[in-house]
Amino acid sequence: MERVAIIDMGSNSIRFIVMQVADNKSYHLEYQQKEAIRLGRGMSETGKLNPEGVERALACLHVYKHMMEVMQVTKCIAVATAAARNASDGEAFIERIKQETGIEIEVISGEREAYLGYLGVVNTIDERNYVQFDLGGASIEVSLVRDRKIVESVSVPIGAVTVTDAFNLGDKVTPAAIERCCAFVRRKYEEMIPWAEGLNLPVIGVGGTVRNLAKMDQAQTNYQLSRIHNYIIPRRRFEETYTSIIKSNLSSRKRMKGLSSERADLIVAGAIIINTLMEFTGGQNIIVSGCGLRDGVFFEYYGETYGYGDGYKGPIIPDVLQESVHNYLLSADRRMEHLERVRTLALSLFDQLKRSHGGTRRDRSLLEVAAWLHDSGKVVNYYDHARHSAFIIAHAPLYGMRQLEQLRAAFIAGFHHGISNKIMRAYRYGMMLTPEDWKKVRRLSLLLALAEASDVTYEGVVRRIDVADDEEAVVLSLRGKKGEDHSAAEFEMKSYCKQFKKEYGKPLIIMWQKG
């Protein structure tokens, strides 16, 4: 086992995380801390780091050093970005950190910063073609990704802190100041990222500003999930939020729902930079990433040190969803043979009953996630573990799914012991799915229930299920080895016949064929 500490010192904030890598190569976040340090405050006038920010950063780093000793961290990877990179006294500051704390920090280039941010996104969001931005205090990294590969990447020297200072946007702003700032930002884009104009691709945003915009959107729409990663802000709602931000003063911004008070003075500049980028690229929606540079640092280290399934080594995960579920399974003691049998039979039922349930290829993937994790709730309590599994799946760090897709996978698992109105009412997020979504969830959860019932004894007595599906009925022919006692599996599976007829509109007949 090893613990890897990652420090990301930016222009506005400093972040510290500790990732644990177990002996079986599974990994999880063990600790994290973030502080606003404002290193870049006033740098546009002085060219130097903010003195108070320097002292705040050092105080944080002393704490992080102690935490690494207490947690027995075996490796520390520390990076600094735009403020330390651009300040005339940046190099001296990095040397002072080494002398006072013993922590060696690498000042990375804008291109390297963009690449690490890209690794954080490409390994946690399942999009193939997109424009990505990572907005910090002193720069914005903009990248073009085609077929999951980065093809263009530029660090533009405009950030939420420096633009706030340059145009005096911290408190009340005038229309003239907004107009000058928008024109300045657009000129920077025209000069430095001409390849991004009019791409009309999805836009994925990283950084504290876009995360705050997501929280504001969630508060305004009464969104029930308190998750940011892979949250989508529609362009229309973003423009409404943008308009309200630029028309407000600091005092009123501090009262806006979802907006952190420590970012209220920077949000105007940040919103202008993002809105201008959306207009410039023709992006329609913003996909918000909670993962960025620090996650990219970890994925680069982990991928090159340990690799991902089938011996693949490299910083980019081949299949985000599959790797994420696999890693989660390895992080706890699971009956893997049972889970593999349930998964295989559930997907077999899905494929053979496609005409009746009408599910898509994506629905098949969600069923697979539910099958792998349907028993995860047993770590809470065996009783009602299906409901606990649903909660865990809905909130676990599973990547490669949209938020509502993750909910659907959670609900599929939640009903794998049968569907009841009592359980339905217990789901806090049930109203987030449409009636059509629920219809699919109920039908797919029955396939999972039948697959699990077939292995109720964990002996693997059902080796294969052949399906005959016509207008009159669905017949399941169960196949296993001669001489095995299949009575428990058959009894358990038949308990779902009534529910099957209700959801699929035709009777379910279960037969046994040996050999």
Side-chain angles (χ1 to χ4, degrees):
M1 182 193 78
E2 77 165 328
R3 288 188 175 93
V4 182
I6 296 167
I7 297 172
D8 168 15
M9 187 170 69
S11 305
N12 185 53
S13 60
I14 186 169
R15 290 178 175 272
F16 172 68
I17 67 171
V18 176
M19 300 291 296
Q20 184 186 105
V21 182
D23 292 336
N24 64 3
K25 300 183 182 180
S26 66
Y27 54 87
H28 69 271
L29 176 66
E30 195 168 33
Y31 181 82
Q32 78 90 26
Q33 192 171 343
K34 172 205 166 189
E35 294 293 336
I37 54 174
R38 302 290 176 91
L39 269 182
R41 171 67 79 197
M43 205 171 82
S44 57
E45 291 85 25
T46 67
K48 295 184 177 182
L49 297 172
N50 181 276
E52 291 81 12
V54 165
E55 296 306 319
R56 284 191 291 267
L58 280 166
C60 289
L61 289 165
H62 279 291
V63 172
Y64 300 163
K65 177 68 173 179
H66 178 66
M67 287 300 303
M68 286 190 279
E69 292 169 353
V70 170
M71 298 182 74
Q72 298 180 327
V73 164
T74 52
K75 185 174 183 63
C76 174
I77 308 172
V79 298
T81 55
R85 183 168 64 233
N86 299 331
S88 60
D89 57 348
E91 187 176 339
F93 176 49
I94 297 300
E95 182 59 29
R96 182 182 170 190
I97 290 171
K98 182 179 178 180
Q99 293 298 323
E100 293 189 18
T101 69
I103 298 173
E104 294 190 28
I105 297 184
E106 177 190 3
V107 180
I108 59 175
S109 67
E111 291 71 23
R112 172 89 174 137
E113 183 178 355
Y115 176 72
L116 291 171
Y118 151 76
L119 289 182
V121 169
V122 77
N123 287 321
T124 60
I125 293 180
D126 192 16
E127 289 285 339
R128 302 200 71 84
N129 303 292
Y130 54 91
V131 173
Q132 177 181 325
F133 72 84
D134 186 348
L135 175 58
S139 67
I140 179 172
E141 282 63 52
V142 184
S143 304
L144 172 60
V145 178
R146 296 278 192 188
D147 197 27
R148 302 188 74 222
K149 295 180 178 65
I150 195 165
V151 295
E152 298 279 2
S153 184
V154 173
S155 180
V156 184
I158 51 175
V161 175
T162 52
V163 170
T164 297
D165 291 343
F167 292 91
N168 194 26
L169 303 177
D171 195 348
K172 187 175 182 180
V173 294
T174 64
I178 296 293
E179 186 177 348
R180 287 197 307 274
C181 183
C182 290
F184 168 78
V185 172
R186 184 172 181 91
R187 282 197 303 274
K188 285 292 184 182
Y189 291 152
E190 290 171 346
E191 292 168 8
M192 302 192 70
I193 55 169
W195 43 262
E197 186 169 8
L199 287 172
N200 295 313
L201 287 174
V203 175
I204 299 181
V206 179
T209 298
V210 75
R211 287 195 298 271
N212 262 249
L213 290 168
K215 290 175 184 176
M216 294 175 72
D217 189 71
Q218 290 179 344
Q220 291 160 10
T221 58
N222 197 29
Y223 191 74
Q224 294 297 303
L225 277 175
S226 57
R227 298 184 61 197
I228 295 300
H229 187 69
N230 219 343
Y231 179 75
I232 299 174
I233 310 175
R235 179 69 182 273
R236 176 185 57 80
R237 290 212 304 265
F238 167 70
E239 288 176 346
E240 291 171 356
T241 302
Y242 169 74
T243 300
S244 66
I245 287 171
I246 63 173
K247 289 184 176 180
S248 61
N249 59 26
L250 181 60
S251 176
S252 60
R253 289 198 296 274
K254 285 183 176 179
R255 295 193 298 271
M256 289 183 173
K257 290 182 179 180
L259 178 58
S260 168
S261 59
E262 69 179 31
R263 197 170 287 273
D265 60 334
L266 303 178
I267 195 68
V268 174
I272 288 172
I273 294 169
I274 294 172
N275 185 63
T276 307
L277 182 67
M278 294 295 288
E279 292 176 346
F280 187 72
T281 64
Q284 295 305 305
N285 301 319
I286 301 175
I287 303 171
V288 182
S289 176
C291 299
L293 185 147
R294 63 196 178 281
D295 306 275
V297 170
F298 175 74
F299 284 124
E300 181 178 58
Y301 171 77
Y302 180 90
E304 293 176 351
T305 305
Y306 297 95
Y308 302 102
D310 299 325
Y312 172 82
K313 289 251 180 141
I316 300 175
I317 296 171
D319 187 317
V320 174
L321 180 55
Q322 185 180 71
E323 168 64 23
S324 184
V325 172
H326 176 70
N327 178 66
Y328 192 80
L329 286 169
L330 286 178
S331 66
D333 182 25
R334 311 286 186 194
R335 292 176 178 258
M336 294 301 294
E337 290 183 357
H338 167 69
L339 296 178
E340 174 61 37
R341 287 192 292 266
V342 171
R343 166 197 168 274
T344 300
L345 291 174
L347 295 182
S348 175
L349 289 172
F350 179 95
D351 294 339
Q352 295 181 78
L353 280 165
K354 190 171 182 179
R355 186 171 70 92
S356 289
H357 60 67
T360 65
R361 217 165 84 180
R362 192 59 175 171
D363 293 323
R364 189 181 192 273
S365 296
L366 301 184
L367 174 60
E368 184 174 18
V369 172
W372 276 124
L373 300 175
H374 73 278
D375 277 347
S376 57
K378 288 181 179 178
V379 301
V380 179
N381 192 335
Y382 179 86
Y383 300 103
D384 276 344
H385 74 262
R387 186 153 57 94
H388 299 318
S389 295
F391 182 88
I392 288 172
I393 295 170
H395 294 85
L398 302 175
Y399 301 127
M401 291 181 284
R402 296 285 193 213
Q403 290 193 3
L404 290 182
E405 288 181 327
Q406 194 164 340
L407 276 183
R408 283 161 55 197
F411 293 145
I412 292 169
F415 288 127
H416 80 270
H417 273 187
I419 299 167
S420 72
N421 290 330
K422 177 182 176 182
I423 293 178
M424 182 87 76
R425 288 192 295 271
Y427 285 130
R428 174 184 171 188
Y429 311 114
M431 73 290 295
M432 297 180 72
L433 268 61
T434 66
E436 186 60 32
D437 288 334
W438 272 116
K439 182 179 179 180
K440 279 189 177 181
V441 164
R442 291 194 300 268
R443 287 185 170 183
L444 298 185
S445 67
L446 271 173
L447 304 187
L448 177 56
L450 288 165
E452 199 214 22
S454 73
D455 199 41
V456 66
T457 64
Y458 291 79
E459 297 175 289
V461 295
V462 176
R463 309 300 173 90
R464 180 175 142 190
I465 303 176
D466 293 326
V467 179
D469 181 11
D470 59 31
E471 298 297 329
E472 301 299 323
V474 170
V475 180
L476 304 186
S477 297
L478 313 182
R479 296 181 180 272
K481 285 187 178 179
K482 188 176 182 180
E484 289 180 326
D485 185 351
H486 62 269
S487 57
E490 187 174 354
F491 178 83
E492 193 74 12
M493 292 181 75
K494 284 184 176 179
S495 69
Y496 293 107
C497 288
K498 181 178 179 181
Q499 191 71 48
F500 188 93
K501 185 173 183 180
K502 179 179 179 181
E503 298 300 334
Y504 282 84
K506 46 190 169 184
L508 177 67
I509 300 169
I510 296 176
M511 302 171 56
W512 189 267
Q513 295 185 22
K514 294 187 177 180

